[in-house]
C-alpha cells in the first residue's frame, strides 16, 4: 500500500478495501505482486472510488513500477463543503502531475504555465558528463501528429521544475535523499525515456513504461491519481486588474 498508494498527504485518506486479493513474491531483492481481482481503493481526499485492474507490480531498492486499468467512480459528497473541498483537491492534484505536464507540452502552454526544463545528456556508460546540462524550451520537445497525439523525444534525462510548493510529506518519502528539512516552493522532477514516448491528447502514454519519473513526480502515486478525462475548471476572468496608466 505504501508503494502503490504513496505516502503523500492524500494517501492518509485513501485505503485499499480488499487487500486479500493480493499475492506477493520476493526474489533477489525484488517484490512482485499479482491480484486475483481488481483492487478497490476509496480515496476520501479526492472523492473517488478507484477500481484498479492490476497488470504488473514490482518494487526493488531503487525502482517501483506498476500498471493497470483504472475506473474512477465519484463518491457522493455529504455536504456542499465536502464537494468544494474535493473539487479544490482535484485541481491541486492535477497541477504539476504527469498528465498536466504532457498536456501542456502538447497544447504549447508549458512555458506559460511556469514549467522549466533542463536537458541532461548521459555518456555511453549511463553517467553524466561535465557540460552536458542545458536549459531547453518546451516548444522543441514534442511533435504532434494528425490525430492529436504527441511524441516526446529526449535522449538522456529531462529535468522538470514546476512553480508550486512541495507536499511536506515529500521530505519523509523513503527515497528522499536531499539534505534539507523544509519543503521547497518548486516541485523538481526528472523524466527518463527509453527512446521516445507517444501519448494521447489526455496526456496518457501509449506505453505505460516508456516514461520513468523520479523526484517529485516519482513521489506521486495512486492516491494522487485522477481520471484520464479530468479537466481543471477554466480560470475565471480577473476583474481586479487596475486600468492602464493614464486611463
Amino acid at each position: 500500500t505504501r508503494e502503490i498508494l504513496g505516502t503523500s498527504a492524500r494517501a492518509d485518506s485513501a485505503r485499499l478495501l480488499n487487500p486479500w486479493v493480493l499475492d506477493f513474491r520476493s526474489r533477489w531483492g525484488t517484490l512482485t505482486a499479482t491480484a486475483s481481482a481488481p483492487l478497490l481503493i476509496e480515496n476520501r481526499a479526492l472523492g473517488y472510488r478507484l477500481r484498479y485492474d492490476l497488470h504488473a507490480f514490482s518494487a526493488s531498492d531503487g525502482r517501483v513500477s506498476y500498471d493497470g486499468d483504472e475506473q474512477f467512480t465519484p463518491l457522493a459528497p455529504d455536504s456542499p463543503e465536502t464537494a468544494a473541498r474535493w473539487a479544490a483537491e482535484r485541481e491541486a492534484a492535477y497541477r504539476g502531475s504527469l498528465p498536466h505536464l504532457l498536456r501542456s507540452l502538447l497544447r504549447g502552454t508549458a512555458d506559460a504555465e511556469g514549467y522549466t526544463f533542463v536537458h541532461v545528456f548521459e555518456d555511453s556508460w549511463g553517467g553524466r558528463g561535465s557540460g552536458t546540462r542545458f536549459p531547453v524550451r518546451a516548444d522543441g520537445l514534442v511533435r504532434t501528429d494528425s490525430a492529436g497525439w504527441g511524441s516526446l523525444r529526449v535522449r538522456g534525462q529531462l529535468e522538470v521544475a514546476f512553480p508550486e510548493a512541495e507536499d511536506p510529506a515529500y521530505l519523509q518519502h523513503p527515497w528522499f535523499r536531499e539534505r534539507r528539512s523544509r519543503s521547497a516552493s518548486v516541485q523538481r522532477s526528472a523524466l527518463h525515456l527509453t527512446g521516445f514516448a507517444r501519448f494521447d491528447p489526455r496526456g496518457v502514454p501509449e506505453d505505460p513504461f516508456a516514461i520513468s519519473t523520479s523526484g517529485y513526480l516519482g513521489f506521486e502515486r495512486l492516491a494522487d491519481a485522477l481520471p484520464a478525462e479530468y479537466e481543471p475548471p477554466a480560470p475565471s476572468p480577473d476583474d481586479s486588474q487596475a486600468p492602464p496608466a493614464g486611463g
Side-chain angles (χ1 to χ4, degrees):
T1 55
R2 182 189 71 187
E3 297 297 355
I4 201 165
L5 294 183
T7 58
S8 69
R10 297 185 187 97
D12 292 338
S13 299
R15 62 190 182 106
L16 178 61
L17 302 179
N18 58 341
W20 54 86
V21 305
L22 287 165
D23 186 45
F24 301 97
R25 296 287 186 273
S26 181
R27 185 178 182 184
W28 302 111
T30 298
L31 176 73
T32 59
T34 57
S36 59
L39 305 180
L40 302 178
I41 299 166
E42 185 177 83
N43 190 334
R44 303 297 299 184
L46 296 176
Y48 290 110
R49 173 176 277 206
L50 170 60
R51 176 188 169 103
Y52 193 77
D53 191 359
L54 184 70
H55 295 166
F57 174 90
S58 66
S60 62
D61 185 50
R63 181 183 178 89
V64 173
S65 61
Y66 56 88
D67 177 42
D69 290 331
E70 303 172 344
Q71 181 180 345
F72 289 84
T73 302
L75 299 175
D78 56 11
S79 68
E81 291 76 18
T82 298
R85 176 171 56 82
W86 283 348
E89 279 292 325
R90 291 170 185 175
E91 185 175 2
Y94 174 76
R95 290 184 56 79
S97 66
L98 185 60
H100 180 208
L101 168 62
L102 295 179
R103 287 185 196 179
S104 66
L105 286 170
L106 189 62
R107 297 169 181 176
T109 61
D111 289 329
E113 294 191 54
Y115 281 104
T116 57
F117 304 91
V118 173
H119 193 181
V120 182
F121 279 104
E122 296 177 348
D123 61 29
S124 58
W125 301 102
R128 299 183 187 180
S130 60
T132 59
R133 295 169 48 87
F134 59 92
V136 292
R137 287 184 56 83
D139 54 14
L141 293 173
V142 168
R143 294 181 181 178
T144 307
D145 64 20
S146 58
W149 284 58
S151 292
L152 179 62
R153 300 175 181 269
V154 178
R155 290 185 178 274
Q157 176 177 301
L158 185 67
E159 295 182 351
V160 181
F162 184 66
E164 287 201 359
E166 299 169 336
D167 180 340
Y170 178 46
L171 275 65
Q172 280 73 52
H173 189 262
W175 288 1
F176 186 76
R177 296 291 184 265
E178 297 180 37
R179 294 183 178 180
R180 57 183 171 90
S181 57
R182 292 186 179 181
S183 301
S185 59
V186 175
Q187 299 169 6
R188 299 188 183 277
S189 310
L191 305 186
H192 313 266
L193 279 68
T194 55
F196 77 94
R198 191 166 180 261
F199 56 93
D200 70 17
R202 301 171 303 172
V204 178
E206 183 177 40
D207 177 354
F209 300 119
I211 303 176
S212 298
T213 60
S214 60
Y216 200 81
L217 282 172
F219 161 69
E220 297 181 331
R221 306 288 173 88
L222 285 184
D224 302 285
L226 294 165
E229 63 274 11
Y230 174 82
E231 287 283 352
S236 57
D238 186 1
D239 296 328
S240 62
Q241 292 183 352

